[in-house]
Amino acid sequence: MIDTTVKVKQQRRIVDRLTLQEELAAAVQGIQGEAEVRAAWLPILKAALTKGREEIRNRFFDDQDGAECVRANCFLIDQTIRVLYDAISAHLYPAPNPTESERIAVVAVGGYGRGELAPQSDIDLLFLHQRKPAARIDQVVETILYTLWDVGLKVGHSTRSVDECLRQAKSDWTICTALLETRYIWGDKALFSELRTSFRKTVVAGRETDFLDAKLAERDDRHERMGDSRYVLEPNIKDGKGGLRDLHTLYWTAKFLYGVDDISQMTTEGGLTKSEIDRFGRAQNFLWSVRCHLHYLANRPEERLTFDVQPELAHRMAYTDRAGGSGVERFMRHYFLVAKDVGDLTRIFLAAFEAAQKRRGLLRLPAALFRREMEGFPIDGQRLSIPEKKYFRENPIEMLRIFSVANRHGLELHPDALTAVTRALGKINAAFRDDPAANRLFVDILCADEDPDKTLRQMNECGLFGKFVPDFGRVVAQMQYDMYHVYTTDEHTIRAIGILNRIERGLLNEDHPVASKVIRQVQSREVLYVATLLHDIAKGRGGDHSELGAEVARELCPRLGMNAEDTETVAWLVLHHLAMSMTATKRDLEDPKTVQDFVDLVQSPERLRLLLCLTVVDIRAVGPNVWNNWKATLLRELYWRAEEVMSGASASEGRIRRAEAAKARLAERLEKEGWQEAEIATHLARGGKGYYLALDDDTLARHARLVRSANGRTDELTLETRIDMDKAVTELTVYCTDHPGLVARLSGAIALAGATVVDAKISTMKDGMALDTFLLQDAEGGAFARPDRLARLSVLIRQSLAGEIKPMEELIKRAKSALPSRTRVFTVAPRVLIDNQASNSHTVIEVNGRDRPGLLYKLTAALVEQRLQIVLAKVSTYGEQVVDVFYVKDTFGMKVEHKGKLDQIRQALRYALLDGEEKTEPPPTKLAKKALAKTQAKRAARQKAQAAE
């Protein structure tokens, strides 16, 4: 795909073929035997490769030109193979006048054949011969391969005749694709030309549609394997969606269908515009540069942009911190924008190729047979199209209408229509955005009865969404450099809208029974959908995105046709879209003040319904495995309590009624399981109202069985684990006598076992027994499920509670020998917040920091050392960030209010947060510093020149 006609600059500084030939010839004077000759050549070839690679590397760090780098690497290997082939022919296996069976051509295939050779990529060779090769062919091939392997090159190869190549290409699309991108290196050029000509005649002709279908299926399978999203946290720049392989697919298709050698030729062959070709070139060059940097950084053929390399790559490519985004976030946003461009271009181009091939098969049929229309748009092959190519340029509002029509009738858009939309985006100006008719169409799409997310995603892919709503365009491809937010802001928003629509249609009743019920009571669907669209609209602007987003809502909503009341409601929802989840996960819902403070904020039942629905879809759209039953239970409980207070009942009355209902359901269930009435009454008396309100019916029943079993034994400690592979967590339940420091000892044992606490629920029963539940994961983010690990966890918990081990000492020993954590590259500012206003009876302490093994133990141990009682603990993990909230009292059962004591607590917790932390940003290499300085100097020079002009 690289333009192989472009010559490498100053070629002889990379490798001088004539000089290398002379050195090889001089080295074997008076030497005989293949092994001895190769031994004499090896140091010379190694030195030449080392010198050439160093020159290419230095050039790349100077100019950051990925295209020139891969081209130069190809040139270096080409020249090496040519010199080696000539030397073998001259000194080992000469054939001045080769017979037909001695003819051989050395051919590059794969990425090397395309002229793209990244610094650590493999080299794929085809040794081409005639039908019955002579012994000399095998000798030459073996000597070339052994020599290349001995100098350290990774070489894949095949040796085939022309006929074998053609026969295998017909039966195997992989081989067919490899032969499609062959490039002559050295040897018998006529033999190579024969292969190229025969391939086009016998393999390509008449199979264009089959090849296209195979490549599209291949692409879809690859996308599915890689996660089927271009917005994954650690994208694969080669095989991921929107990566180089998608560009290769386009190149293969263009070459197979149209016989072009370069994408630029598609301006005439395939009807692509120069602007689209330029976009393709810019995307390709960016991805090449990133890949070359990645190979040099990893010193191996690494293709994933993992968390640990992203900051260094951003540094090397001169992405600096700016207001609203760090350097690494700016770099990854550029990557995602390029990936979006690649996805957009390949989707449009491949669909156009597909349509062109199908049209060729229909030319002999009457055109009128296939002509239908839907609301003024012609239907072509069950896809909505346009009357003519310039239709949208002359009728810009039709760009929105065609998406609206397609959504209402469940139709796909024809590639011609998508291409026309992309080419007419320049017609969207301020007047168009202020057009009431255009805004009505947009709102209709946003609030569509079915699948608005699919339509909005397609509008986003082709650029229409961000062009019509510029504030949304600012968050397209915007990422947050953390392990919690799986998707970019635009993808998260569109997913949230899709989840909201599925809840409204009753498709998620089991997952969200309360939201599915209250959404039918919402008075304005538009308010809810617009608030979902705008809740993260102001991310990346350098301030509080909720406050800035509310300002955007107040400006945008009137443009969308909303009245003043609805505009203010949307703005309020955007401003407080995190309030419900923060209250549910960070505050004690048993405390009446928590509920009253929340009600004072929300004020009306309509806002409460809207906020619940927005909160659910916001959390669900963050990523897989983020939503769980605990979050659902907390949100439901907060909603019910707030609703009761708003209806005039006191918080305590509602709690009593719902707790009694939960106890009644549990009693009925236990009775069916054969429990005696006295047993049931005894068990129900153990828990307080908060216990029965905080857990679902299945968990309450499981706890009852566990407690009953434990009371029937003499063992003072009962442990139960339940593995949930779907949510990638293991639930650990601990039942034992409560005592000071229990949570700390349990946390220490869990850390020693190698597990990470992602959530925890601490409960003390009325009889003095502790019933604590922890959600655990392993170091890889999966369920802590291995039987040997679970057995060791049980032993460590018993040892810790018995005082037989000291967790802190053990954790310090392990930290010294442990492998670096994947989270070490993230920076989370340590923060300790102490709030004496959130509760009337407890001091509330919130701790934020970077998650790592043993942190919860260190924090709880610090609180115990300060002689505090941990009455309630709420543990939440957001990727690499942990947010732990503790409700505490002093030794006398009172709030902690003395300023000196509060300062001691704050200092102790900050020490626990910082203990074991290290500088997270990787140190910049000398080459990175040099590259950054040169790039910044060039940018400054360009800006100066532009200013002078």
Coordinates of all heavy atoms in Angstrom, one line a residue, residues 59 103 154 229 267 286 345 363 377 384 398 440 451 464 498 542 577 585 650 657 663 691 703 715 751 832 882 921:
R59 N 16.6 8.7 11.7 CA 15.8 9.5 10.8 C 14.4 9.6 11.3 O 13.8 10.7 11.3 CB 15.8 9.0 9.4 CG 17.2 9.1 8.7 CD 17.0 8.6 7.2 NE 18.2 8.5 6.5 CZ 18.3 8.2 5.2 NH1 17.2 8.0 4.5 NH2 19.5 8.2 4.6
R103 N 15.6 -21.4 -13.2 CA 15.1 -20.1 -13.1 C 14.4 -19.9 -11.7 O 13.7 -20.7 -11.2 CB 14.1 -19.7 -14.2 CG 14.7 -19.7 -15.6 CD 13.6 -19.6 -16.6 NE 12.9 -18.3 -16.5 CZ 11.7 -18.1 -17.0 NH1 11.1 -19.1 -17.8 NH2 11.1 -16.9 -16.9
K154 N 13.6 -12.4 11.2 CA 12.4 -13.3 11.3 C 11.8 -13.5 9.9 O 11.2 -12.5 9.4 CB 11.4 -12.8 12.3 CG 12.0 -12.8 13.8 CD 11.1 -11.9 14.7 CE 11.4 -10.4 14.4 NZ 10.7 -9.5 15.3
S229 N -15.3 -2.9 18.6 CA -15.4 -1.5 18.8 C -14.0 -0.8 18.6 O -13.0 -1.4 19.0 CB -15.9 -1.2 20.3 OG -15.8 0.2 20.5
T267 N -9.4 7.7 -7.4 CA -10.2 8.9 -7.7 C -10.8 8.8 -9.1 O -11.8 9.4 -9.4 CB -9.2 10.1 -7.7 OG1 -8.1 9.9 -8.5 CG2 -8.8 10.4 -6.3
F286 N -0.4 8.4 10.0 CA -0.5 8.4 11.5 C -0.3 7.0 12.1 O 0.5 6.8 13.0 CB -1.8 9.1 11.9 CG -2.0 9.0 13.4 CD1 -1.4 10.0 14.2 CD2 -2.8 8.1 14.0 CE1 -1.5 10.0 15.6 CE2 -2.9 8.0 15.4 CZ -2.3 9.0 16.2
L345 N -14.3 5.6 6.3 CA -13.8 5.4 4.9 C -14.0 4.0 4.4 O -14.5 3.8 3.3 CB -12.4 5.9 4.7 CG -12.1 7.4 4.9 CD1 -10.6 7.6 5.0 CD2 -12.6 8.1 3.7
L363 N -27.2 -5.5 -14.7 CA -27.3 -4.6 -15.9 C -28.2 -5.1 -17.0 O -28.8 -4.3 -17.6 CB -25.9 -4.4 -16.5 CG -24.9 -3.5 -15.6 CD1 -23.5 -3.5 -16.3 CD2 -25.5 -2.1 -15.5
F377 N -37.5 9.0 -1.1 CA -36.2 8.4 -1.3 C -36.2 7.1 -2.0 O -37.0 6.2 -1.6 CB -35.4 8.2 0.0 CG -35.1 9.5 0.7 CD1 -35.9 9.9 1.9 CD2 -34.1 10.3 0.3 CE1 -35.6 11.0 2.6 CE2 -33.9 11.5 1.0 CZ -34.6 11.9 2.1
L384 N -32.0 2.5 1.5 CA -32.5 3.8 1.2 C -31.4 4.6 0.5 O -30.3 4.7 1.0 CB -33.0 4.6 2.4 CG -34.2 5.5 2.4 CD1 -35.4 4.8 1.8 CD2 -34.4 6.1 3.7
E398 N -32.4 17.4 3.9 CA -32.7 16.0 3.6 C -31.7 15.0 4.2 O -31.9 13.8 4.3 CB -32.7 15.8 2.0 CG -33.8 16.5 1.3 CD -35.2 16.0 1.7 OE1 -35.7 15.0 1.1 OE2 -35.8 16.5 2.7
R440 N -36.3 19.8 14.6 CA -37.4 18.8 14.9 C -37.1 17.4 14.4 O -37.4 16.4 15.0 CB -38.7 19.4 14.2 CG -40.0 18.6 14.5 CD -40.4 18.7 15.9 NE -40.0 17.5 16.7 CZ -40.0 17.5 18.0 NH1 -40.3 18.5 18.7 NH2 -39.7 16.4 18.6
D451 N -34.6 1.9 18.5 CA -33.2 1.9 18.1 C -32.6 3.3 17.7 O -32.0 3.4 16.6 CB -32.9 0.9 16.9 CG -33.3 -0.5 17.3 OD1 -33.1 -0.8 18.5 OD2 -33.8 -1.3 16.5
L464 N -22.2 13.6 10.6 CA -23.3 14.5 10.6 C -23.7 14.9 12.0 O -24.1 16.0 12.2 CB -24.5 13.8 9.9 CG -25.9 14.5 9.9 CD1 -25.7 15.9 9.2 CD2 -26.9 13.7 9.2
G498 N -29.2 4.2 23.8 CA -29.8 2.9 23.3 C -30.3 2.1 24.5 O -31.4 1.5 24.4
G542 N -12.0 21.4 30.9 CA -11.1 22.0 32.0 C -11.8 22.4 33.2 O -11.2 22.9 34.1
H577 N -26.5 14.9 37.4 CA -26.6 13.6 36.9 C -25.8 12.5 37.7 O -26.1 11.3 37.6 CB -26.3 13.5 35.4 CG -24.8 13.6 35.1 ND1 -24.2 14.8 35.0 CD2 -23.9 12.7 34.9 CE1 -22.9 14.6 34.7 NE2 -22.7 13.3 34.6
T585 N -24.0 5.1 46.6 CA -22.8 4.4 46.8 C -21.9 4.9 47.9 O -21.0 4.2 48.4 CB -22.0 4.3 45.5 OG1 -21.6 5.6 45.1 CG2 -22.7 3.5 44.5
S650 N -43.0 9.8 56.5 CA -41.7 10.0 57.1 C -40.8 8.9 56.6 O -41.2 7.9 56.2 CB -41.7 10.0 58.6 OG -42.0 8.7 59.1
R657 N -42.1 -0.2 56.8 CA -43.0 -0.9 55.9 C -42.3 -1.8 54.9 O -42.7 -3.0 54.8 CB -43.9 0.1 55.2 CG -45.0 -0.6 54.4 CD -46.1 0.4 53.9 NE -45.5 1.4 53.1 CZ -45.4 2.7 53.4 NH1 -45.7 3.1 54.6 NH2 -44.8 3.6 52.6
K663 N -39.0 -9.0 55.2 CA -39.0 -10.0 56.2 C -40.1 -11.0 55.9 O -39.9 -12.3 56.1 CB -39.1 -9.4 57.6 CG -37.8 -8.7 58.0 CD -38.0 -7.8 59.2 CE -38.2 -8.6 60.5 NZ -38.2 -7.7 61.7
Y691 N -30.5 -3.9 57.2 CA -30.0 -5.2 56.6 C -31.0 -5.7 55.6 O -30.6 -6.2 54.5 CB -29.7 -6.2 57.8 CG -29.5 -7.6 57.3 CD1 -28.2 -7.9 56.7 CD2 -30.4 -8.6 57.4 CE1 -28.0 -9.2 56.3 CE2 -30.2 -9.9 56.9 CZ -29.0 -10.2 56.4 OH -28.7 -11.4 55.9
H703 N -28.1 -16.0 53.1 CA -27.5 -15.7 54.4 C -28.2 -16.4 55.5 O -27.6 -16.9 56.4 CB -27.7 -14.2 54.6 CG -26.7 -13.3 53.9 ND1 -26.6 -12.0 54.1 CD2 -25.7 -13.6 53.1 CE1 -25.6 -11.5 53.4 NE2 -25.0 -12.5 52.7
D715 N -17.7 -24.3 65.1 CA -16.7 -23.4 64.5 C -17.2 -22.0 64.6 O -18.3 -21.6 64.3 CB -16.5 -23.8 63.0 CG -15.3 -23.1 62.4 OD1 -14.7 -22.2 63.0 OD2 -14.9 -23.6 61.3
A751 N -6.0 -9.5 50.8 CA -4.8 -8.9 50.0 C -3.7 -9.9 49.9 O -3.1 -10.1 48.8 CB -4.3 -7.6 50.6
V832 N -8.4 12.8 51.1 CA -9.2 12.4 52.3 C -10.2 13.5 52.6 O -9.8 14.6 52.9 CB -8.2 12.1 53.5 CG1 -9.0 11.7 54.7 CG2 -7.2 11.1 53.2
V882 N -9.9 3.9 43.6 CA -10.7 3.3 44.7 C -11.4 4.5 45.5 O -10.7 5.5 45.7 CB -9.9 2.4 45.6 CG1 -8.8 3.2 46.4 CG2 -10.8 1.7 46.6
E921 N 4.6 8.0 36.1 CA 4.9 8.3 34.7 C 6.2 7.7 34.3 O 7.2 7.9 35.0 CB 4.9 9.8 34.4 CG 3.5 10.5 34.5 CD 3.6 11.9 34.1 OE1 4.6 12.4 33.7 OE2 2.6 12.6 34.3

